[in-house]
Amino acid sequence: RWQDGPAASLRVARGAGRLAWLAAAPEQAVAESDRRHLQHLQEAAIAWASRTAWIEVLAEPDGPAPATHRDQAAWKLARGAVDASVRRAGPRRLIVEVTNKARLPVEGLVLRVHLNEPVHAGVRVETTALLQARATLRRVPEAEAIDLVLPTLDARRSRAYSLDFESAPPGAG
């Protein structure tokens, strides 16, 4: 059980089943920022309960945090112009797509891919295009997720990566 902004929520796993409960739905939010936050929580809860991969762009860049208010504002604008998606391309493969819609490049971008299932240590990320800069893979401790640290994403460009993983045996995590 945890309190996350305007919504209380609960996640329970029993055997192979999962249940997620949210105290408030996005439609009940008064402020637009609260509605977006609740929508984000709802999507994450549904993905977790259904064991479906889900992706988010992390709020902080890889490396040192922006030092000034101007740098923080620039980072938030750049991050807000990034679209990321994940889709299953096979039993052990996901395709991660990311697009920078801004007019400036984005540096230090980190995508958290919630696999929502236990995974062995053998996770690999590969580019889907020749000569495309590679992403770095980081495991998230105590979570069914990994982080993709992306190289600089040029303005108005897209990249795609394949993520291959081996599911852990039932009951292992």
Side-chain angles (χ1 to χ4, degrees):
R1 173 175 248 191
W2 67 94
Q3 180 77 23
D4 192 0
S9 56
L10 176 69
R11 294 188 330 176
V12 178
R14 295 282 188 264
R18 291 180 171 188
L19 174 68
W21 173 81
L22 297 175
E27 302 80 34
Q28 297 170 321
V30 176
E32 179 63 21
S33 62
D34 287 344
R35 188 198 65 71
R36 284 193 308 268
H37 180 71
L38 287 171
Q39 182 70 34
H40 184 80
L41 284 175
Q42 181 179 353
E43 290 170 0
I46 290 169
W48 179 81
S50 65
R51 297 180 192 272
T52 304
W54 185 72
I55 195 166
E56 65 178 320
V57 180
L58 294 188
E60 295 294 325
D62 185 51
T68 66
H69 290 295
R70 177 176 283 174
D71 291 344
Q72 290 172 358
W75 167 252
K76 286 182 181 181
L77 281 172
R79 179 184 167 270
V82 172
D83 281 335
S85 65
V86 62
R87 64 182 166 82
R88 190 164 291 282
R92 293 182 293 273
R93 175 171 283 177
L94 299 173
I95 301 296
V96 173
E97 297 173 313
V98 60
T99 300
N100 178 7
K101 300 180 295 184
R103 293 182 179 158
L104 296 172
V106 180
E107 294 182 20
L109 199 60
V110 180
L111 305 178
R112 177 153 296 164
V113 181
H114 298 269
L115 302 169
N116 291 320
E117 62 181 279
V119 173
H120 280 301
V123 181
R124 288 189 343 258
V125 62
E126 298 291 336
T127 63
T128 60
L130 290 174
L131 305 177
Q132 178 176 296
R134 298 180 67 114
T136 303
L137 191 69
R138 281 194 313 221
R139 303 255 330 177
V140 179
E142 304 297 321
E144 298 172 340
I146 55 100
D147 286 347
L148 286 179
V149 181
L150 301 184
T152 300
L153 185 57
D154 292 331
R156 301 185 188 261
R157 297 284 185 205
S158 295
R159 288 204 184 122
Y161 300 92
S162 65
L163 188 62
D164 296 310
F165 59 95
E166 193 69 36
S167 295

